[in-house]
Amino acid sequence: MNEDQLPPLREVIARHGLSARKSLGQNFLLDLNLTRRIARAAAPLAGHTIVEVGPGPGGLTRALLMEGAERVVAVERDARVLPALAEIAAAFPGRLEVVEADALTVDWRELVGDRPAKVVANLPYNVATPLLLGWLTTEPWPPWYRSLTLMFQSEVADRITAPPGSKVYGRLSVIAQARARARALFDIDRRAFTPPPKITSTLVDIVPLDVPPVPCPIAVLEKVTASAFGQRRKMLRASLKMLLADPEPLLARAGIIPTARAEELTVAQFCRLAQLYEGE
Ligand code: SAM
């Protein structure tokens, strides 16, 4: 079978008995026009190793290969889909490698090797945020990937890109924006998925900054933001007590008023706090 003869995804799903499992966050995209649009959003694909998390029956995988990816490494936890993916691998000889694994425990650097990599995925919603945090906090930096083109629930996409002062500005916004430029590309209606989830999805493009504008010790930033946003309605002089007994001197050194709340601080101010706390 060559790439033009691959059967429609609905047929693949029926033939391999791939009923969607909620526990694995399975909402499949069966419209190749849509998956090709997602693949194109990560262009150029050639010259990179494309990492896909959760290929499922392979709608996005096919699109990535059709749009010019020379090498796709697809990490999937559900062994039921492996025969369907083997058919795609046969149609694109030497270009698709399927790894049966839990994406939360994969050593990405080892998997990808030295070639520049991009991640493109319609993420399983139940592990989307931990996966993203893992990629954003990876060390050493710059990371092993050139970009992340990822589908999230729109509510998560809003949190990633939220500016200070917004209701949804939080830990994920600060960590993402301290290390990367993140922007929402387009929404995808829930009805495009099989089965349709309850909410709209948004494709987000995340490009790591080689040199972040403000130096930011990321492990410390994780602690500071966990503390500050852990009790987001409290003033920082109270919420940062999870971090240290008396936060006021630290806030003063950072030039931040102790009555400010977490959602009012810019990413640069959080980075400054992290630097100073690290030096304590
Ligand atoms: N890429 C396909 C598509 O667009 O139609 C499927 C996307 S579906 C939202 C998420 C996929 O991730 C499923 O195939 C699911 O089995 C897989 N998955 C869920 N948890 C995973 C994990 N921890 N590691 C790897 N794959 C996982």
Side-chain angles (χ1 to χ4, degrees):
M1 201 175 330
N2 64 36
E3 60 174 274
D4 301 324
Q5 294 165 330
L6 279 169
L9 286 156
R10 258 179 222 293
E11 190 186 314
V12 172
I13 288 174
R15 185 158 40 88
H16 294 285
L18 303 177
S19 50
R21 293 205 173 141
K22 212 174 172 184
S23 61
L24 286 170
Q26 291 183 337
N27 301 97
F28 302 133
L29 287 173
L30 307 185
D31 176 356
L32 272 176
N33 288 321
L34 182 56
T35 53
R36 289 184 77 156
R37 189 173 168 215
I38 296 168
R40 282 197 299 274
L45 299 173
H48 297 80
T49 293
I50 306 300
V51 174
E52 186 190 359
V53 173
L60 181 56
T61 321
R62 284 189 201 189
L64 290 164
L65 292 161
M66 290 163 95
E67 291 295 333
E70 291 148 5
R71 179 179 180 227
V72 176
V73 179
V75 176
E76 173 59 61
R77 198 174 163 184
D78 185 357
R80 294 180 311 154
V81 303
L82 300 183
L85 294 171
E87 291 173 6
I88 302 176
F92 294 88
R95 292 168 60 190
L96 172 61
E97 184 188 332
V98 180
V99 179
E100 186 189 347
D102 179 346
L104 286 172
T105 61
V106 165
D107 180 338
W108 300 104
R109 244 173 231 278
E110 193 184 301
L111 189 76
V112 163
D114 290 334
R115 267 169 53 118
K118 291 182 172 183
V119 182
V120 186
N122 171 17
L123 289 179
Y125 290 141
N126 39 357
V127 291
T129 305
L131 277 173
L132 176 63
L133 280 171
W135 290 326
L136 288 170
T137 58
T138 187
E139 293 289 359
W141 196 266
W144 52 271
Y145 55 84
R146 297 272 170 91
S147 63
L148 308 170
T149 306
L150 305 172
M151 182 101 71
F152 292 98
Q153 308 177 50
S154 299
E155 172 256 319
V156 177
D158 289 346
R159 288 202 276 130
I160 296 167
T161 54
S166 142
K167 260 194 196 137
V168 293
Y169 180 68
R171 212 171 156 237
L172 194 57
S173 333
V174 176
I175 291 171
Q177 294 167 35
R179 286 200 133 178
R181 179 183 55 74
R183 64 194 173 107
L185 296 180
F186 53 84
D187 288 347
I188 297 184
D189 192 280
R190 52 186 284 281
R191 286 165 303 188
F193 298 85
T194 303
K198 290 204 178 72
I199 30 65
T200 305
S201 297
T202 302
L203 191 69
V204 181
D205 179 50
I206 298 170
V207 179
L209 302 165
D210 282 355
V211 185
V214 184
C216 213
I218 199 73
V220 186
L221 183 71
E222 285 189 88
K223 280 191 199 157
V224 172
T225 51
S227 175
F229 287 105
Q231 297 168 293
R232 63 182 292 142
R233 311 191 67 139
K234 288 199 174 165
M235 295 172 187
L236 288 166
R237 69 176 173 210
S239 59
L240 289 182
K241 280 196 174 148
M242 263 175 66
L243 202 63
L244 71 178
D246 180 11
E248 295 214 21
L250 182 78
L251 288 165
R253 279 164 59 216
I256 297 167
I257 51 166
T259 52
R261 291 180 168 78
E263 67 187 40
E264 295 164 22
L265 295 200
T266 63
V267 173
Q269 285 176 309
F270 271 114
C271 288
R272 182 84 189 115
L273 272 179
Q275 278 170 4
L276 291 168
Y277 180 67
E278 189 186 38
E280 287 256 304

